[in-house]
């Protein structure tokens, strides 16, 4: 648990006069499930975009998977996986074509693609669905697929942007099992969420309010520190005096 | 199940390094995805093909500025030889349908009811005065044409035809000799084919490309592509390629239809028409790209490429109304409408039979516009990424 995969110091992002992310610093270790908690507009997405190499920080420094966030966005992109809150699948493709597409985008060779594709379908018990159009699948399956696609090139870190939106509790629970297994395999998971039961599953949680990290620790210790019974309560205490509205 | 997953993820780190080196084929993967998407989206495909066919058929058979089947009635108190001769010429002409003789007092009612759209009134002593005219003596008018001008265009054309037919063999012929060059039969299809081409490529390229890019933005798949190691410019090229291919197919269909169905001459050489069209396709694609970068929703993309681009194109390109007739302001404005130059160039090559060299001006202007729009969208695009 000591190897650092994400290390960020004084990262700041300004849009004109508005400081979306203000001076945040933290480290994420290999194999961790790192929760990133915040109300809408608190700056989570902006922070995450900087970590994914999608936007450059105004100031500060940091590395993701060993690459500089200020300069090496393109290299970062090769070493991370990303799943957005809408699962973002192409509905008109079949499961099999979709695997090939992702493998192609990440430049995997034909042999590797074929192997990964078999593995993935077998693990998900999806072998019979290879030629099914993605839009015909139930939401929970789509979600699992999206997660599997995010990991098709075996990235070091997988970023999940509110991955469980709109999914029922049982499916959410299953999804978190997948996340656990990936983390145990040494993949670092960086997850944003606003479901308040989910932070309890994370190794460590950072709570971001008004673009600043207000708290960062394991869920257990955060609860002790704030003398609360649940993460929900911790979050409420911190977010109470937020300046930015929804 | 859990332990299976574990294995799946445990072997990741070891395999990572070697595989990340391989970064090829990714453009092709995206092009394939886009093509599959287009092919499966049957509705969109159908709409494009339908629009194409409907436009051509419409312009071929329905929307013509030619005058066809004009119902003509005659008023002649004396049916002399001269009158009969004129009547024969009207009756045997394809453009007119002879509806018989009527009386002087029926004219108004016949025209009002729409039974006929033109009435020809011959003077009672038509033959005698015709001879006078032929002999070079002065005379008052001997034929009156009463035409329903509620449709100005067809009324004008019908009048011109009738005058020509009625006086055709007489001495007046010596006064003018009219020759309609390039389109001797005055077929309106000749006029509209270049216009349709200008329209359809904006539709296929600009509209479809912009909508499909913006759709990906809306659905969130664009985000996934941008987080991938795929270069953003490559993402956009991958979008453009399938639409470029479609446009080529559409182009071939149009050329075949216009040659075999509409008998448009294409005397200036197919290759010139082809290269000019390909350039115009690229231009439209760049426009679509620009639109997709500027707007955020599919509706906005549709509005911008549909209304803002298509309307001025229809009205200002010279497809429907001759540019020479525009007020000065619009005439100047029409210079920035790409379709104007394209249509002009195609018209020259298709109808007038000018060689490719003759349209160098139009070609250069289009080329300049393409470079401009494409450059602008690239710049704007990089702006967005910061």
């Amino acid at each position: 648990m000591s190897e650092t995969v994400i290390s960020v110091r004084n990262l700041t992002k300004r849009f004109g006069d508005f400081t979306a992310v203000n001076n945040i610093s933290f480290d994420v270790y290999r194999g961790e499930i790192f929760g990133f908690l915040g109300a809408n507009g608190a700056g989570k997405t902006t922070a995450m975009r900087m970590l994914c190499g999608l936007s450059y920080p105004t100031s500060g420094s940091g590395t993701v998977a060993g690459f500089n966030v200020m300069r090496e966005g393109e290299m970062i992109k090769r070493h991370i996986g990303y799943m957005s809150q809408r699962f973002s699948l192409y509905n008109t493709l079949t499961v099999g074509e979709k695997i090939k597409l992702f493998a192609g985008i990440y430049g995997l060779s034909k042999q590797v693609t074929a192997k990964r594709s078999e593995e993935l379908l077998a693990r998900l018990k999806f072998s019979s669905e290879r030629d099914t159009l993605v839009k015909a699948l139930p939401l929970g399956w789509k979600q699992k697929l999206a997660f599997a696609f995010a990991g098709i090139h075996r990235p070091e870190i997988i970023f999940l942007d509110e991955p469980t939106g709109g999914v029922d509790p049982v499916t959410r629970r299953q999804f978190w099992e997948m996340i656990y297994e990936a983390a145990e395999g040494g993949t670092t998971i960086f997850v944003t969420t606003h479901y308040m039961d989910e932070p309890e599953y994370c190794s460590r949680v950072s709570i971001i309010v008004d673009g600043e990290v207000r708290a960062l620790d394991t869920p257990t210790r955060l609860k002790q520190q704030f003398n609360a019974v649940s993460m929900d309560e911790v979050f409420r205490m911190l977010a109470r005096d937020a300046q930015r509205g929804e | 199940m859990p332990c299976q997953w574990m294995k799946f993820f445990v072997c990741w780190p070891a395999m990572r390094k070697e595989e990340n080196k391989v970064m090829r084929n990714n453009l092709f993967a995206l092009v394939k995805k886009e093509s599959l998407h287009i092919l499966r989206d049957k509705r969109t495909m159908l709409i494009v093909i339908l629009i194409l066919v409907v436009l051509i058929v419409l312009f071929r058979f329905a929307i013509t500025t030619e005058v066809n089947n004009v119902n003509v009635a005659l008023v002649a108190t004396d049916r002399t030889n001269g009158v009969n001769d004129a009547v024969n010429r009207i009756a045997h002409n394809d453009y007119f349908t002879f509806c018989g003789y009527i009386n002087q007092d029926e004219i108004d009612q016949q025209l009002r009811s729409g039974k006929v759209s033109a009435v020809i009134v011959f003077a009672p002593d038509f033959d005698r005065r015709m001879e006078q005219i032929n002999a070079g003596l002065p005379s008052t008018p001997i034929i009156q044409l009463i035409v329903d001008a509620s449709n100005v265009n067809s009324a004008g054309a019908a009048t011109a035809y009738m005058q020509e037919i009625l006086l055709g063999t007489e001495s007046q012929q010596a006064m003018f000799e009219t020759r309609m060059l390039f389109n001797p039969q005055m077929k309106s299809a000749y006029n509209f084919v270049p216009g349709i081409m200008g329209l359809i490529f904006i539709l296929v390229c600009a509209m479809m490309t912009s909508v499909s890019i913006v759709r990906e933005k809306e659905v969130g798949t664009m985000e996934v592509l941008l987080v991938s190691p795929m270069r953003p410019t490559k993402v956009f090229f991958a979008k453009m390629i399938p639409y470029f291919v479609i446009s080529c197919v559409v182009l071939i269909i149009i050329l075949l239809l216009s040659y075999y169905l509409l008998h448009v001459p294409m005397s200036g050489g197919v290759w010139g028409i082809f290269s000019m069209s390909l350039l115009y396709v690229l231009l439209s694609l760049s426009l679509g790209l620009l639109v997709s970068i500027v707007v955020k929703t599919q509706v906005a993309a549709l509005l911008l490429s549909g209304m803002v681009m298509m309307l001025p194109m229809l009205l200002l390109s010279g497809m429907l109304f001759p540019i020479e007739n525009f007020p000065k302001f619009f005439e100047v404005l029409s210079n920035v409408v790409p379709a104007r130059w394209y249509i002009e160039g195609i018209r020259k090559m298709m109808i007038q039979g000018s060689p490719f060299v003759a349209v160098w001006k139009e070609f250069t202007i289009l080329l300049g516009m393409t470079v401009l729009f494409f450059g602008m969208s690239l710049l704007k695009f990089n702006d967005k990424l910061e």
Side-chain angles (χ1 to χ4, degrees):
Chain A
M1 283 290 277
S2 55
E3 194 191 342
T4 319
V5 285
I6 301 176
S7 173
V8 165
R9 294 290 172 271
N10 308 321
L11 212 57
T12 300
K13 179 78 187 183
R14 282 192 206 93
F15 298 105
D17 291 340
F18 178 69
T19 308
V21 173
N22 191 6
N23 232 3
I24 58 171
S25 306
F26 58 82
D27 290 305
V28 180
Y29 306 107
R30 184 174 301 286
E32 247 192 330
I33 301 176
F34 190 83
F36 211 55
L37 228 73
N40 290 337
K44 331 181 269 244
T45 309
T46 313
M48 190 147 154
R49 284 175 63 86
M50 287 193 280
L51 296 179
C52 292
L54 278 181
S55 91
Y56 291 110
T58 315
S59 64
S61 64
T63 57
V64 173
F67 298 101
N68 191 318
V69 289
M70 296 295 267
R71 286 192 307 272
E72 297 172 303
E74 291 305 316
M75 286 309 288
I76 291 176
K77 287 179 184 177
R78 293 188 191 191
H79 294 267
I80 60 167
Y82 174 85
M83 173 184 166
S84 85
Q85 48 194 326
R86 289 168 290 184
F87 316 153
S88 302
L89 299 166
Y90 291 103
N91 279 327
T92 46
L93 297 186
T94 67
V95 176
E97 285 161 358
K98 185 83 201 203
I99 296 174
K100 278 198 193 132
L101 168 65
F102 269 74
I105 290 174
Y106 283 94
L108 305 184
S109 69
K110 264 213 173 86
Q111 295 88 333
V112 178
T113 307
K115 214 174 88 214
R116 294 273 167 86
S117 161
E118 287 308 319
E119 272 175 12
L120 191 149
L121 290 171
R123 295 290 184 273
L124 290 170
K125 301 212 166 80
F126 266 21
S127 298
S128 56
E129 309 292 337
R130 180 194 291 273
D131 298 322
T132 310
L133 286 183
V134 170
K135 68 175 161 206
L137 295 174
L139 196 63
W141 290 35
K142 283 189 194 171
Q143 187 191 33
K144 284 181 190 168
L145 262 186
F147 183 63
F149 290 143
I152 194 134
H153 55 298
R154 307 291 198 252
E156 292 182 41
I157 309 158
I158 298 183
F159 287 88
L160 305 171
D161 189 8
E162 298 183 0
T164 51
V167 176
D168 65 85
V170 180
T171 319
R172 254 168 70 199
R173 185 65 231 178
Q174 287 174 355
F175 186 71
W176 271 93
E177 274 165 25
M178 276 175 72
I179 295 180
Y180 268 112
E181 285 144 20
E184 279 165 38
T187 304
T188 310
I189 308 286
F190 188 101
V191 55
T192 71
T193 181
H194 53 217
Y195 281 102
M196 282 310 147
D197 56 332
E198 289 186 339
E200 315 265 359
Y201 310 145
C202 297
S203 330
R204 283 191 308 146
V205 176
S206 67
I207 295 177
I208 182 161
V209 179
D210 291 345
E212 290 166 17
V213 175
R214 288 286 161 81
L216 171 58
D217 216 326
T218 62
T220 325
R221 269 190 252 150
L222 279 178
K223 278 184 277 188
Q224 278 171 4
Q225 187 189 333
F226 288 92
N227 201 14
V229 289
S230 68
M231 282 303 296
D232 192 16
E233 214 179 320
V234 175
F235 180 69
R236 277 166 204 277
M237 289 164 102
L238 282 168
R240 195 183 298 146
D241 47 325
Q243 303 296 308
R244 291 182 203 161
E246 281 279 301
Chain B
M1 171 78 173
C3 55
Q4 272 181 334
W5 264 105
M6 220 144 89
K7 261 190 263 160
F8 183 48
F9 286 104
V10 165
C11 52
W12 284 18
M15 295 161 86
R16 254 173 221 151
K17 294 221 166 63
E18 20 133 12
E19 280 161 13
N20 279 329
K21 284 180 199 150
V22 199
M23 294 299 299
R24 59 196 154 76
N25 273 343
N26 46 15
L27 182 68
F28 179 69
L30 262 189
V31 172
K32 198 172 154 196
K33 171 225 99 187
E34 195 60 35
S35 314
L36 279 173
H37 178 80
I38 295 170
L39 289 176
R40 289 205 179 126
D41 190 0
K42 297 223 172 59
R43 251 185 323 173
T44 315
M45 215 44 215
L46 206 71
I47 289 174
V48 171
I49 304 273
L50 261 180
I51 286 179
L52 177 68
V53 173
V54 165
L55 275 180
I56 290 204
V57 170
L58 258 180
F59 282 127
R60 168 68 182 87
F61 298 106
I63 307 177
T64 60
T65 49
E66 293 161 32
V67 182
N68 274 327
N69 305 319
V70 178
N71 291 326
V72 180
L74 294 184
V75 179
T77 35
D78 303 318
R79 298 194 192 151
T80 58
N81 286 339
V83 171
N84 282 336
D85 192 38
V87 170
N88 270 335
R89 266 180 269 141
I90 293 277
H92 287 114
N93 193 292
D94 285 341
Y95 296 112
F96 300 105
T97 310
F98 178 51
C99 297
Y101 293 94
I102 55 172
N103 289 324
Q104 191 89 40
D105 49 357
E106 288 173 312
I107 296 175
D108 190 59
Q109 181 254 329
Q110 289 272 330
L111 280 169
R112 240 173 238 291
S113 66
K115 278 186 199 134
V116 302
S117 18
V119 177
I120 305 173
V121 185
F122 291 94
D125 45 358
F126 179 76
D127 279 16
R128 190 180 54 82
R129 285 166 66 179
M130 198 70 186
E131 272 163 31
Q132 265 186 335
I133 293 171
N134 286 343
L137 296 166
S139 166
T140 47
I142 52 170
I143 301 175
Q144 183 183 29
L145 296 180
I146 305 171
V147 183
D148 171 9
S150 32
N151 183 335
V152 179
N153 286 338
S154 59
T159 314
Y161 275 138
M162 280 191 282
Q163 282 174 352
E164 202 177 320
I165 291 164
L166 290 170
L167 302 173
T169 55
E170 309 301 337
S171 60
Q172 276 79 358
Q173 203 183 27
M175 290 170 67
F176 294 104
E177 193 203 53
T178 316
R179 284 177 63 204
M180 294 294 183
L181 286 184
F182 314 126
N183 189 357
Q185 292 153 289
M186 305 279 280
K187 285 194 177 166
S188 55
Y190 287 12
N191 192 20
F192 279 115
V193 166
I196 296 179
M197 291 171 77
L199 195 71
I200 200 98
F201 291 126
I202 286 276
L203 199 79
V204 174
C205 303
M207 208 146 144
M208 287 177 73
T209 319
S210 62
V211 168
S212 97
I213 294 177
V214 176
R215 186 197 295 130
E216 289 216 27
K217 274 202 218 168
E218 265 185 28
V219 178
T221 43
M222 187 53 83
E223 216 178 6
V224 175
L225 290 182
L226 292 181
V227 186
S228 80
M230 195 92 179
R231 295 253 166 207
T233 37
K234 254 186 176 175
V235 173
F236 284 83
F237 273 121
K239 275 274 172 197
M240 289 166 77
I241 290 170
Y243 289 101
F244 185 76
V245 173
I246 292 184
S247 307
C248 290
V249 174
V250 167
L251 177 62
I252 292 169
I253 295 179
I254 294 185
L255 291 182
L256 287 178
L257 277 181
S258 26
Y259 190 75
Y260 289 105
L261 187 71
L262 307 180
H263 308 294
V264 174
M266 318 233 176
S267 31
V270 178
W271 292 115
I273 297 174
F274 221 85
S275 3
M276 186 98 175
S277 302
L278 288 189
L279 179 63
Y280 185 64
V281 164
L282 285 180
L283 176 88
S284 313
L285 283 172
S286 313
L287 272 177
L289 209 59
L290 197 60
V291 168
S292 70
I293 289 164
V294 176
V295 303
K296 285 206 172 66
T297 62
Q298 289 184 62
V299 180
L302 260 180
L303 274 178
L304 194 62
S305 48
M307 303 300 284
V308 180
M309 272 156 54
M310 208 113 108
L311 270 184
M313 218 214 77
L314 267 174
L315 301 176
L316 293 180
S317 65
M319 171 189 181
L320 295 176
F321 314 110
I323 293 168
E324 295 79 12
N325 293 0
F326 288 173
K328 195 74 194 154
F329 172 72
F330 289 107
E331 199 184 319
V332 173
L333 194 66
S334 76
N335 284 323
V336 299
V337 178
R340 176 200 162 160
W341 302 106
Y342 174 68
I343 292 176
E344 230 168 78
I346 288 294
R347 216 175 253 167
K348 278 188 188 168
M349 284 190 286
M350 255 190 181
I351 319 296
Q352 297 185 355
S354 315
F356 187 62
V357 213
V359 295
W360 67 270
K361 186 176 125 201
E362 285 84 359
F363 195 84
T364 317
I365 290 174
L366 284 179
L367 193 67
M369 284 178 167
T370 312
V371 172
L372 181 76
F373 289 135
F374 195 70
M376 261 163 77
S377 41
L378 277 189
L379 268 179
K380 199 97 183 115
F381 181 65
N382 287 331
D383 250 22
K384 286 264 149 120
L385 290 181
E386 296 153 345

